[in-house]
């Protein structure tokens, strides 16, 4: 009986060990990648290295560029843009690789900029020339006398006598440069023309000359330009002033007339009462002209309107009689207070507005003395 050999079963342990060995071969080791701290250190090192490289490149470029010589000014413009030399800047002269700025300019790095001192002096010179020309032209516009056009040579010579040019010193080049710079500025500000001889002449512009006119000239031009409007305004102001004075005069006359009228009523009333209390020997009437001269001030007597207004008020008062009478052989208008049946005039006014009694007694005494001589004369009306 033949026996067949039996196969030995595969164990699970062997298959698991094979799989684990295969995975270990395929997966990379953990020490292959850097850790987090190592990664940050790596980035820091790279940043520092980049900064150093850029700084070195900048300084190297800067020093190499400044060390380049300048191209000569007489070279062709195409050759001046080569890498072997720097182009010569404007307002500068280059020779054998060196830069020299023209007068009136100073070197600033690779450029030639304007000299501030020369520029300020030239500006002041041009302003002085402008003021002189514009003032002269303003005199021509206002009064017809003066100079309009000035030759360039005359201005050039006048600059030599200016105070600013005395401080320049013995440097002839700087001296001439200032004058040229000033003339360039003057040519830009003023009007220019060429005369018959081909010489340049300068004139202040009309708009600029207006600012140099004197105040009297401006006022005269303003009056002549708006004369009609000014006349109308002055006439209106004068009319308003006259009207205002008349209104004030009328108000003063009205108020003063009322005051005098009250004084007249008081004096007539007191005179009438006084004559009645002296056994009929006194006269109750008063001459109107005597009252006028007694009450009015000397300056008020020159204005007839004031006393005329008082007469109108007395005429409208029914308590006062007005009639002519012969006094010392002359016809006078007398006023008489009606005592019987009339109301007192002093009750209508405040205390203290009456006339002083002494002055009233004085005029009453004079009236009574004159009336005694005319006691026998009858009252006659004169028409």
């Amino acid at each position: 009986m033949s026996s067949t050999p039996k196969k030995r079963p595969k164990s699970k342990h062997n298959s698991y060990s094979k799989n684990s060995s295969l995975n270990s071969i395929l997966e990379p080791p953990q020490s292959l990648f850097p850790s987090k701290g190592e990664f940050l250190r790596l980035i820091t090192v790279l940043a520092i290295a980049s900064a150093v490289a850029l700084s070195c490149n900048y300084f190297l470029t800067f020093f190499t560029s400044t060390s380049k010589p300048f191209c000569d000014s007489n070279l062709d413009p195409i050759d001046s843009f080569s890498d072997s030399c720097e182009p010569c800047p404007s307002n500068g002269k280059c020779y054998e690789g060196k830069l020299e700025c023209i007068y009136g300019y100073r070197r600033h790095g690779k450029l030639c900029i304007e000299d501030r001192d020369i520029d300020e002096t030239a500006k002041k010179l041009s302003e002085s020339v402008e003021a002189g020309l514009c003032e002269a032209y303003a005199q021509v516009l206002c009064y017809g006398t003066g100079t309009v056009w000035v030759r360039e040579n005359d201005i050039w010579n006048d600059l030599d006598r200016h105070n600013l040019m005395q401080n320049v010193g013995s440097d002839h080049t700087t001296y001439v440069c200032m004058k040229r710079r000033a003339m360039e500025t003057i040519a830009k500000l003023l009007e220019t023309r060429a005369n018959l001889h081909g010489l340049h002449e300068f004139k202040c512009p009309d708009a600029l000359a207006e600012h140099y006119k004197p105040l009297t000239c401006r006022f005269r031009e303003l009056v002549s330009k708006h004369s009609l409007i000014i006349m109308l305004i002055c006439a209106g102001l004068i009319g308003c002033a006259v009207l205002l004075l008349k209104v004030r005069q009328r108000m003063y006359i009205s108020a003063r007339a009322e005051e005098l009228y009250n004084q007249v009523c008081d004096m007539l009333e007191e005179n009438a009462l006084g004559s009645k209390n002296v056994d009929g020997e006194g006269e109750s009437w008063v001459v109107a002209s005597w009252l006028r001269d007694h009450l009015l001030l000397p300056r008020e007597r020159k204005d007839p309107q004031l006393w005329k207004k008082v007469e109108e008020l007395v005429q409208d008062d029914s308590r006062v009689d007005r009639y002519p009478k012969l006094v010392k052989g002359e016809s006078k208008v007398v006023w008489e207070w009606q005592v019987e049946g009339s109301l007192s005039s002093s009750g209508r006014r405040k205390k203290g507005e009456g006339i002083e009694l002494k002055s009233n007694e004085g005029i009453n005494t004079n009236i009574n003395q004159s009336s005694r001589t005319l006691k026998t004369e009858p009252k006659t009306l004169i028409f």
Side-chain angles (χ1 to χ4, degrees):
M1 182 176 174
S2 61
S3 63
T4 58
K6 295 182 180 179
K7 293 182 178 181
R8 192 178 290 179
K10 295 179 179 180
S11 63
K12 295 181 179 180
H13 178 72
N14 294 333
S15 62
Y16 176 76
S17 59
K18 290 181 180 181
N19 291 333
S20 61
S21 60
L22 183 61
N23 290 335
S24 61
I25 294 173
L26 295 177
E27 291 181 358
Q30 294 180 357
S31 60
L32 181 63
F33 297 101
S35 63
K36 185 176 182 181
E38 292 175 346
F39 185 73
L40 293 176
R41 285 194 296 271
L42 179 61
I43 293 176
T44 304
V45 171
L46 292 176
I48 294 173
S50 301
V52 172
L54 291 175
S55 300
C56 293
N57 184 31
Y58 174 78
F59 285 108
L60 182 62
T61 304
F62 178 77
F63 285 112
T64 54
S65 61
T66 54
S67 60
K68 284 184 180 181
F70 287 97
C71 302
D72 291 347
S73 302
N74 55 3
L75 290 179
D76 188 69
I78 299 176
D79 298 335
S80 62
F81 289 99
S82 63
D83 297 334
S84 60
C85 61
E86 290 287 344
C88 188
S90 57
N91 303 316
K93 294 181 180 180
C94 300
Y95 180 72
E96 294 183 355
K98 296 181 180 180
L99 171 63
E100 183 179 357
C101 297
I102 62 177
Y103 289 103
Y105 294 85
R106 58 186 177 85
R107 182 171 178 176
H108 182 74
K110 299 179 182 180
L111 303 176
C112 289
I113 61 176
E114 293 182 354
D115 193 336
R116 184 173 300 176
D117 296 335
I118 296 178
D119 187 63
E120 289 293 331
T121 305
K123 183 178 180 182
K124 292 179 181 179
L125 289 173
S126 62
E127 291 177 353
S128 178
V129 173
E130 174 191 332
L133 293 181
C134 290
E135 288 176 358
Y137 185 46
Q139 293 291 328
V140 175
L141 295 177
C142 292
Y143 309 108
T145 58
T147 306
V148 180
W149 292 93
V150 181
R151 292 183 301 177
E152 183 180 9
N153 294 336
D154 296 337
I155 297 177
W156 182 269
N157 296 330
D158 290 339
L159 292 177
D160 295 334
R161 295 186 291 270
H162 201 279
N163 295 330
L164 293 174
M165 301 302 294
Q166 306 300 327
N167 302 326
V168 175
S170 59
D171 190 354
H172 180 71
T173 307
T174 305
Y175 189 87
V176 174
C177 180
M178 285 185 180
K179 292 176 64 176
R180 288 179 178 176
R181 186 72 60 81
M183 293 301 297
E184 292 175 359
T185 307
I186 292 170
K188 295 177 182 178
L189 295 175
L190 306 180
E191 296 181 5
T192 59
R193 73 173 184 180
N195 58 11
L196 298 177
H197 303 285
L199 300 176
H200 290 284
E201 293 181 340
F202 296 96
K203 182 181 81 71
C204 179
D206 295 342
L208 189 59
E210 293 292 331
H211 300 285
Y212 289 88
K213 289 183 178 179
L215 293 178
T216 54
C217 179
R218 295 183 185 181
F219 179 76
R220 189 181 63 180
E221 290 181 350
L222 179 65
V223 171
S224 61
K225 184 177 180 180
H226 306 283
S227 57
L228 181 60
I229 298 176
I230 293 175
M231 290 177 61
L232 294 176
I233 293 175
C234 292
L237 293 176
I238 294 173
C240 293
V242 172
L243 181 61
L244 180 61
L245 290 176
K246 287 185 177 180
V247 171
R248 292 189 62 183
Q249 184 69 13
R250 288 182 181 179
M251 293 176 62
Y252 169 75
I253 291 176
S254 179
R256 180 61 175 158
E258 291 181 0
E259 181 182 357
L260 294 172
Y261 164 71
N262 292 330
Q263 294 178 4
V264 168
C265 291
D266 291 341
M267 294 180 68
L268 291 177
E269 183 180 2
E270 292 178 4
N271 183 64
L273 294 175
S275 63
K276 190 175 182 180
N277 294 333
V278 293
D279 299 332
E281 295 182 359
E283 294 293 343
S284 60
W285 49 266
V286 178
V287 180
S289 59
W290 295 355
L291 284 174
R292 180 196 62 195
D293 296 338
H294 179 73
L295 294 176
L296 292 181
L297 299 174
R299 58 182 176 83
E300 293 178 337
R301 296 172 189 172
K302 299 179 182 179
D303 188 5
Q305 297 294 329
L306 179 59
W307 189 250
K308 185 177 180 180
K309 184 67 175 178
V310 176
E311 290 179 346
E312 292 176 358
L313 295 175
V314 173
Q315 186 177 0
D316 294 338
D317 195 341
S318 60
R319 299 170 298 175
V320 180
D321 284 344
R322 301 171 65 254
Y323 55 88
K325 186 177 180 61
L326 287 175
V327 180
K328 295 182 180 182
E330 296 182 5
S331 178
K332 302 285 186 180
V333 177
V334 297
W335 293 347
E336 183 180 357
W337 185 265
Q338 299 298 320
V339 180
E340 297 179 357
S342 64
L343 300 175
S344 176
S345 62
S346 60
R348 301 175 58 188
R349 293 180 297 276
K350 297 180 180 179
K351 275 187 175 182
E353 292 183 355
I355 303 176
E356 296 180 358
L357 294 176
K358 292 183 179 180
S359 62
N360 293 338
E361 290 175 1
I363 191 171
N364 291 337
T365 303
N366 295 332
I367 293 171
N368 293 334
Q369 289 177 357
S370 62
S371 63
R372 289 193 188 98
T373 61
L374 302 172
K375 188 175 181 181
T376 58
E377 295 181 3
K379 297 180 181 178
T380 58
L381 297 175
I382 300 175
F383 295 95

